[in-house]
């Protein structure tokens, strides 16, 4: 209930705290979300002149007056965790991963200690994680980075779309021009799906699918 969130004990239903929210806007209301390790985050917007973006505040327990950190990001492209708290923000490898609404990838990542956005997240519109490798959808293709060091491992340039990252592989879908999606033989829709090794970027296999593929799950 604006302008605060009431927290309940999940076993007894008793009130354990109330967290005040910052000023809300109609287009992007301030929300409270949580991480998979139990931390609490407040997401709102910031505006300076003609510029605006996403503000994420990490709390110390239930204390909103002295946050652990606060970061202003020049984007509104948040996922299901930061934008509404529909899913918990995943906490692993020292980062907070904001899941997309379909739970097949991540919208962005922040350093769990400082809130800083790593370069491989700032340049990406979509992220997938395999072990210690993050696959990033970037302008001009898909790149793989070692999470622990931020080192660039590989790049697949061209009209490729990052579909999903599985346990041992990264799945890409070709995103050709609309006129090029028809199979020259049958005249039907077609897509090219390929599996990429997460550490080397080498293609393991490629398959033609007789439909317009979008999101894949491994």
């Amino acid at each position: 209930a604006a302008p605060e969130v009431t927290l309940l004990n999940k076993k007894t239903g008793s009130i354990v705290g109330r967290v005040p929210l910052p000023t809300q806007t109609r287009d992007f209301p301030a929300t409270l979300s949580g991480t998979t390790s139990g931390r609490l985050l407040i997401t709102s917007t910031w505006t300076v002149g003609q510029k605006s973006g996403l503000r994420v505040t990490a709390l110390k327990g239930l204390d909103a007056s002295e946050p652990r950190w606060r970061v202003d990001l020049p984007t509104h492209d948040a996922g299901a965790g930061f934008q509404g708290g529909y899913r918990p923000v995943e906490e692993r490898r020292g980062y907070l991963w904001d899941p997309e609404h379909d739970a097949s990838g991540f919208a962005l990542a922040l350093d769990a200690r400082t809130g800083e956005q790593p370069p491989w997240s700032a340049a990406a519109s979509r992220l997938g994680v395999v072990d210690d490798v993050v696959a990033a959808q970037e302008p001009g293709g898909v790149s793989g980075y070692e999470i622990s060091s931020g080192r660039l491992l590989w790049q697949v340039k061209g009209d490729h779309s990052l579909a999903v990252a599985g346990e041992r592989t990264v799945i890409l879908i070709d995103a050709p021009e609309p006129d090029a999606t028809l199979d020259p033989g049958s005249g039907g829709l077609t897509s090219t799906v390929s599996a990429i090794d997460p550490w080397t970027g080498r293609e393991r296999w490629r398959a033609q699918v007789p439909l317009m593929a979008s999101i894949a799950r491994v």
Side-chain angles (χ1 to χ4, degrees):
E4 67 178 14
V5 174
T6 301
L7 301 178
L8 306 179
N9 184 296
K10 64 182 181 180
K11 293 182 179 180
T12 66
S14 60
I15 296 176
V16 296
R18 290 183 172 90
V19 179
L21 295 178
T23 303
Q24 305 185 63
T25 65
R26 183 180 62 181
D27 297 332
F28 196 110
T31 59
L32 183 75
S33 58
T35 72
T36 51
S37 67
R39 303 188 192 193
L40 295 178
L41 308 166
I42 293 177
T43 305
S44 58
T45 59
W46 61 269
T47 302
V48 177
Q50 299 297 319
K51 297 181 179 180
S52 63
L54 184 72
R55 172 170 292 170
V56 181
T57 303
L59 303 186
K60 293 180 180 178
L62 303 181
D63 188 1
S65 61
E66 296 184 4
R68 293 178 56 244
W69 50 257
R70 177 179 289 120
V71 62
D72 289 346
L73 306 173
T75 177
H76 284 167
D77 298 329
F82 291 150
Q83 193 171 5
Y86 303 114
R87 298 180 185 275
V89 176
E90 292 192 24
E91 190 166 354
R92 54 174 163 158
R93 293 287 195 277
Y95 290 93
L96 302 177
W97 304 85
D98 186 18
E100 293 191 323
H101 291 269
D102 59 11
S104 62
F106 300 97
L108 56 89
L110 301 178
D111 189 300
R113 296 173 302 161
T114 64
E116 295 181 358
Q117 190 175 25
W120 43 259
S121 174
S125 59
R126 180 181 176 84
L127 302 170
V129 181
V130 183
D131 296 328
D132 193 39
V133 176
V134 57
Q137 178 76 59
E138 299 174 337
V142 179
S143 301
Y145 297 89
E146 186 177 35
I147 298 174
S148 57
S149 66
R151 179 170 58 96
L152 175 65
L153 299 174
W154 50 266
Q155 289 181 310
V156 178
K157 296 183 178 181
D159 294 326
H160 299 283
S161 175
L162 171 65
V164 69
E167 294 181 358
R168 297 281 189 271
T169 189
V170 174
I171 303 296
L172 305 182
I173 298 177
D174 281 358
E177 296 297 326
D179 295 340
T181 59
L182 298 180
D183 182 86
S186 65
L189 293 173
T190 183
S191 300
T192 302
V193 181
S194 55
I196 303 298
D197 183 280
W199 285 100
T200 65
R202 294 171 182 164
E203 186 177 276
R204 291 176 174 171
W205 53 257
R206 175 182 291 249
Q208 291 295 124
V209 182
L211 49 82
M212 196 62 186
S214 57
I215 299 297
R217 294 178 185 271
V218 178

